Amino acid sequence: MLIEMRNIRKVYEQGDSTCEALAGIDLKISQGESVAIMGPSGSGKSTLLNIMGCIDRATEGEYYFDGKEVNDYSDGERAKLRNEYLGFVLQDFALIERYTVKENVILPLKYSKKIKKEAREARIDEVLKLVGIEEKKEQSVLKLSGGQRQRVAIARALVNEAEVLLCDEPTGALDKATGREIVNVFEELNKKGKTIVIVTHDPDVAAECDRVIKIVDGRVE
Amino acid sequence: MINNFLFAIDDIFSNYKKFIAGFLQIMVTFIFFAIVASKVKSLFMISYIEKNMVIDNEVYTFMNCIPADIGTVINDEEKRDKLINLWKEVSSDDMLASYGAKIYVADNESKITINDARYAQSGIAKKNSLTADNRSLKLEVTANFFDIFSLKGNFVPEYKEVFSTGEDDGVTPVILGYSFAKIYEIGDSFKDEKDDEYRIIGFLNKDSYYLYPSSLSGEPVDLGGYVIIPAKLDADEATDVCRLIDGIYVISNTPDYCDYVQRRMAEEELFTLDVRSFTYELESGIEYLKDGIKVNGFLGGIVCAFAFMGLVGNLVQYISDYKREFAINMLCGSDKAGIITRIYVQVLLLVIFGIIPTVILYGKSVELMCTVVFAIIFSLGIMAYPLILIRRFTIEEMLKRGTE
Ligand SMILES: Nc1ncnc2c1ncn2[C@@H]1O[C@H](COP(=O)(O)OP(=O)(O)OP(=O)(O)O)[C@@H](O)[C@H]1O
Ligand SMILES: [Mg+2]
């Protein structure tokens, strides 16, 4: 099992009031699976994805990634995990806008020794080709359309050979047709063996996945 | 690590105007700090001298051998002779004995060039005299000078006699400050620019100070870089007599002898001398230093406060501007420590650049060391609030656009 969560709770404390975003999540995702996470707004989908992506820590519960309990990992170990095993594709792309496409895509490699310096250029070309924007390599991100930006984000998520792509409403900022193209990219990647977790409101996107996990009020329904 | 360093450099270039402004503020802060440190150091040195000086009574000095007067006396043959004769009269052993006064001489009006490759290469001259030329500071003293200021060191056993009488072969005996001990040994000799030969009969210990009081600024002299030779001022030379008047210190329990000399000088219409006691010199020196510390400390404090607030403000602004970028870097594999490094490297570079002027002004010195320690504390102080800020943020919060 690649991802296994047991009784994950997340409580946000704001002053005196607390907000239980996740109220005990149990789930398993195996290698190579594509999973859609759906649910109403505020149900805790992003919170769940953030914990899965080691962006945030659960208040309670166990989270095993590839058999290892990672909730208690140190900051540095979690950063390494994000760098080497996890790729993020977010609704607003999370790109550095003053950078070029290449400068964005190279970021994970800068924090990693996995791919040697000499091989980086070729690796970047490879992933850009995979997402179909190899000719935009030297362009500023600002000049790209939404769909192209999301492709850059996917390229960046893949560049360091991540096992899992964690996507939070990746088509949310795109029109229907462009969103469709992005979903096709995910499908391609899934066929090649990548594990894909997509948080989405769009039933059409969810329909393309192997499985749908429905979250309501911080619980799996 | 190297990544974050490069990111930091990149950020500095993106915000170079702020960096330069910060550099100027920090630079001024550090210079003020070094000035205050230097004055505090002088205070310590003065109290060290006070503690260690071996005199039973008081020491008096003649002040105000005004350069304008020198001209009129030296250029007038009649006056010149009068001066020489008068000085012979008043400085005779009998005269001194009749007033119960003793004297020592400490004259540092001149410099010396040591014609020696070791010396030239050592850079000692430059370091010690802060002059561009290759000369060292020279002090001409009488042998009792070492006792009076309790100067200790590594000397040949009979150094006092040698110092008073000179060597048989006409070579000038010389005692050197501790900084020369790196390149010379006792018994070595060297020549000066006039080809006169000197033989080393001892080295002073570190922390050898004396006070040259005529300035009233209370700046004690560190003898570490000095070349000390026997006073060989010639009482038959009017110019030398002028220097003697300046360089002579009278040990006596009353100012009577000095008053007498002062009166005689006036009678003969030569110099208008001022007699000052060492106690007065010391006290006014200490006052002067304390005032200097207060003024510079106050101004420096204000500059420091502004620099501190300005820099913290800049950092907070920078973090707010770059929050999202930090978060993206963290998504890609950086941890918070990496982000903090990226910020601290910038502060550190600012501080390193800011301290360069102090290095140039003060060289390798106690002042510089104090300033470096202060700089490290200052940089950590600047980082404190931004550090708390960064620690509080989570990645998802930082990813959100807009300002909070
Ligand atoms: N940083 C936070 N501090 C406090 N409360 C939070 C924080 N982040 C999320 N929440 C709360 O946790 C709950 C779950 O939020 P989450 O963002 O996971 O929902 P979501 O399912 O992704 O919603 P949406 O579909 O609108 O994106 C919400 O009630 C939200 O208000
Ligand atoms: Mg969400």
Side-chain angles (χ1 to χ4, degrees):
Chain A
M1 201 55 49
L2 188 63
I3 289 171
E4 184 172 355
M5 287 183 163
R6 287 189 208 148
N7 194 30
I8 288 287
R9 283 183 71 231
K10 177 73 190 181
V11 180
Y12 287 110
E13 309 216 2
Q14 278 173 323
D16 309 331
S17 66
T18 58
C19 164
E20 191 178 43
L22 298 177
I25 296 271
D26 291 288
L27 61 78
K28 289 178 180 180
I29 297 169
S30 44
Q31 174 98 43
E33 232 186 328
S34 68
V35 177
I37 296 176
M38 294 193 76
S41 185
S43 57
K45 304 180 296 294
S46 297
T47 307
L48 176 62
L49 202 76
N50 288 340
I51 291 173
M52 215 179 266
C54 289
I55 288 174
D56 205 351
R57 282 180 203 265
T59 316
E60 227 183 278
E62 295 153 46
Y63 171 23
Y64 296 94
F65 185 90
D66 207 10
K68 284 173 285 278
E69 164 63 278
V70 295
N71 209 30
D72 302 329
Y73 267 27
S74 73
D75 238 27
E77 288 168 323
R78 288 158 69 84
K80 194 169 152 71
L81 206 69
R82 288 196 297 272
N83 177 251
E84 295 188 348
Y85 296 95
L86 305 166
F88 297 88
V89 182
L90 307 182
Q91 179 170 13
D92 69 355
F93 321 123
L95 298 174
I96 296 177
E97 272 136 23
R98 63 193 179 98
Y99 283 2
T100 63
V101 168
K102 178 189 156 181
E103 283 166 342
N104 269 286
V105 174
I106 205 170
L107 263 187
L109 301 184
K110 287 194 173 175
Y111 291 102
S112 168
K113 292 194 181 82
K114 225 171 164 185
I115 291 167
K116 292 220 163 54
K117 259 208 167 103
E118 313 81 72
R120 282 183 185 174
E121 204 69 32
R123 177 64 188 156
I124 289 165
D125 290 340
E126 193 182 338
V127 283
L128 287 179
K129 200 162 170 199
L130 200 66
V131 297
I133 47 163
E134 63 266 43
E135 77 284 1
K136 304 284 184 198
K137 189 176 169 187
E138 302 297 342
Q139 266 197 28
S140 163
V141 169
L142 281 172
K143 290 198 184 129
L144 303 184
S145 70
Q148 288 167 334
R149 288 186 195 194
Q150 200 56 298
R151 285 167 196 267
V152 176
I154 297 170
R156 186 185 64 192
L158 293 171
V159 74
N160 206 22
E161 296 162 343
E163 301 268 346
V164 189
L165 289 197
L166 299 172
C167 318
D168 197 346
E169 300 184 35
T171 60
L174 307 174
D175 61 51
K176 200 86 186 157
T178 317
R180 186 69 242 164
E181 288 172 25
I182 295 297
V183 171
N184 287 340
V185 174
F186 288 136
E187 266 183 78
E188 285 299 311
L189 292 169
N190 184 232
K191 271 187 204 145
K192 288 186 177 139
K194 297 281 178 208
T195 310
I196 295 182
V197 181
I198 306 181
V199 169
T200 182
H201 283 291
D202 186 344
D204 293 346
V205 174
E208 302 294 336
C209 296
D210 301 341
R211 181 156 64 101
V212 177
I213 296 173
K214 199 149 192 286
I215 306 281
V216 178
D217 289 339
R219 289 174 207 279
V220 179
E221 195 167 66
Chain B
M1 181 64 217
I2 199 88
N3 257 328
N4 289 307
F5 186 79
L6 295 176
F7 280 130
I9 303 275
D10 191 43
D11 292 351
I12 288 173
F13 276 108
S14 312
N15 305 294
Y16 71 94
K17 277 185 193 149
K18 276 187 184 164
F19 189 83
I20 290 171
F23 158 74
L24 292 174
Q25 288 174 317
I26 274 196
M27 177 190 86
V28 177
T29 304
F30 289 172
I31 289 176
F32 267 114
F33 185 87
I35 291 173
V36 172
S38 136
K39 295 202 183 286
V40 171
K41 182 178 112 179
S42 296
L43 261 187
F44 272 109
M45 282 160 69
I46 285 199
S47 59
Y48 183 91
I49 293 169
E50 232 179 344
K51 243 192 5 240
N52 289 286
M53 246 182 114
V54 185
I55 41 166
D56 312 328
N57 312 302
E58 178 64 282
V59 176
Y60 296 91
T61 61
F62 296 111
M63 295 295 304
N64 242 3
C65 193
I66 311 161
D69 286 0
I70 293 181
T72 56
V73 173
I74 302 259
N75 294 330
D76 181 328
E77 202 168 328
E78 198 187 328
K79 285 196 168 185
R80 210 160 54 203
D81 292 342
K82 256 200 213 165
L83 175 67
I84 291 167
N85 289 331
L86 175 59
W87 188 253
K88 273 190 182 143
E89 174 203 329
V90 298
S91 67
S92 70
D93 291 344
D94 292 347
M95 183 66 83
L96 284 165
S98 72
Y99 277 97
K102 283 182 276 183
I103 57 162
Y104 72 89
V105 171
D107 171 63
N108 68 353
E109 292 289 291
S110 57
K111 292 183 175 179
I112 180 170
T113 301
I114 300 177
N115 267 336
D116 183 271
R118 269 179 294 177
Y119 170 78
Q121 281 158 15
S122 67
I124 287 175
K126 238 177 220 149
K127 214 183 86 198
N128 290 330
S129 62
L130 293 174
T131 56
D133 61 25
N134 212 15
R135 294 182 296 167
S136 273
L137 295 158
K138 186 172 78 176
L139 186 64
E140 297 189 17
V141 302
T142 42
N144 57 351
F145 176 80
F146 297 98
D147 290 335
I148 288 162
F149 286 95
S150 304
L151 298 175
K152 308 256 165 9
N154 179 20
F155 307 122
V156 297
E158 69 287 10
Y159 78 97
K160 264 186 231 162
E161 292 85 77
V162 178
F163 213 79
S164 329
T165 57
E167 305 253 35
D168 305 336
D169 50 6
V171 175
T172 308
V174 56
I175 288 177
L176 299 174
Y178 78 92
S179 68
F180 290 92
K182 279 192 295 240
I183 53 168
Y184 290 123
E185 277 173 30
I186 287 177
D188 286 355
S189 58
F190 57 78
K191 287 184 173 169
D192 70 2
E193 68 270 35
K194 280 181 251 150
D195 225 27
D196 289 339
E197 198 170 350
Y198 298 81
R199 184 172 306 126
I200 298 165
I201 61 163
F203 293 98
L204 291 173
N205 285 345
K206 222 174 155 155
D207 295 328
S208 296
Y209 310 118
Y210 96 108
L211 197 68
Y212 185 67
S214 56
S215 66
L216 288 189
S217 63
E219 294 295 342
V221 175
D222 184 343
L223 292 171
Y226 269 78
V227 173
I228 304 172
I229 63 168
K232 51 179 179 186
L233 293 169
D234 185 354
D236 293 326
E237 281 283 342
T239 45
D240 278 11
V241 171
C242 290
R243 278 170 57 189
L244 268 173
I245 296 171
D246 246 356
I248 225 163
Y249 298 85
V250 180
I251 306 170
S252 169
N253 51 4
T254 67
D256 294 354
Y257 170 75
C258 295
D259 289 345
Y260 171 72
V261 176
Q262 185 187 33
R263 199 173 61 237
R264 291 285 292 122
M265 285 284 178
E267 277 168 15
E268 301 286 339
E269 290 174 334
L270 291 165
F271 292 127
T272 320
L273 295 183
D274 203 1
V275 177
R276 281 189 195 154
S277 75
F278 217 86
T279 310
Y280 169 77
E281 300 272 359
L282 277 175
E283 272 165 12
S284 70
I286 288 170
E287 275 312 300
Y288 182 88
L289 285 174
K290 281 185 176 163
D291 286 349
I293 291 170
K294 275 183 213 150
V295 170
N296 286 290
F298 179 71
L299 292 176
I302 290 173
V303 175
C304 176
F306 272 98
F308 188 85
M309 289 187 297
L311 289 167
V312 171
N314 279 354
L315 272 187
V316 170
Q317 180 65 45
Y318 160 77
I319 289 168
S320 153
D321 291 348
Y322 278 70
K323 222 166 44 183
R324 191 172 148 81
E325 206 168 292
F326 294 157
I328 292 168
N329 275 279
M330 289 178 77
L331 281 184
C332 291
S334 174
D335 53 8
K336 259 189 195 168
I339 302 298
I340 290 166
T341 308
R342 175 170 173 174
I343 300 169
Y344 191 52
V345 164
Q346 294 178 61
V347 174
L348 220 51
L349 284 175
L350 198 60
V351 164
I352 290 168
F353 279 114
I355 214 164
I356 288 175
T358 310
V359 174
I360 293 168
L361 285 175
Y362 284 90
K364 199 177 137 202
S365 62
V366 179
E367 288 89 333
L368 180 64
M369 262 156 52
C370 291
T371 311
V372 167
V373 171
F374 172 71
I376 293 168
I377 295 168
F378 188 79
S379 72
L380 292 175
I382 289 175
M383 276 300 283
Y385 180 61
L387 210 69
I388 295 168
L389 210 60
I390 285 278
R391 283 195 164 273
R392 262 208 322 245
F393 282 135
T394 64
I395 301 179
E396 342 129 53
E397 276 168 356
M398 288 162 75
L399 267 175
K400 288 193 187 110
R401 280 175 196 278
T403 49
E404 272 146 305

